Amino acid sequence: MKKIVTVAVLVASVLGTAGQAQAASAPAPDFRGQSAAMVLQSVDAGTNVEMTDLSGSQRPVQWPAQWKVCTQSPAPGEAMTATVRVGVVKTAEDCPA
């Protein structure tokens, strides 16, 4: 019984790694103008999302649905990476120039 469980865990681990490699090579969607919550819903579980307040006030992004994306890295169409960085402002605010 232990051997079967060990093999299942090993196979799941290998398949999970392959899935992450595929996700990392997919092109990044255009998140600009979207809700910051949409970014979190769009990326796979292995992708880190870093959100930065672009207003200059360094506000924490506690409720992503109340923020919109102004900038992103990687840029739309570029290969996805393990970390997606987005610059955000509150939904009622304009993106800085």
Side-chain angles (χ1 to χ4, degrees), residues 45-90:
T47 303
N48 296 317
V49 177
E50 295 178 4
M51 297 184 188
T52 303
D53 175 16
L54 295 180
S55 72
S57 300
Q58 298 180 340
R59 300 172 290 188
V61 181
Q62 295 179 347
W63 299 100
Q66 297 177 352
W67 296 76
K68 68 180 175 185
V69 177
C70 297
T71 62
Q72 72 178 74
S73 176
E78 289 183 356
M80 283 292 285
T81 58
T83 300
V84 173
R85 293 174 179 83
V86 292
V88 297
V89 295
K90 292 278 191 165

Side-chain angles (χ1 to χ4, degrees), residues 19-55:
Q20 289 176 357
Q22 289 177 346
S25 63
D30 189 353
F31 295 121
R32 296 169 299 176
Q34 302 282 334
S35 160
M38 181 61 69
V39 176
L40 296 173
Q41 294 170 0
S42 298
V43 299
D44 67 11
T47 303
N48 296 317
V49 177
E50 295 178 4
M51 297 184 188
T52 303
D53 175 16
L54 295 180
S55 72

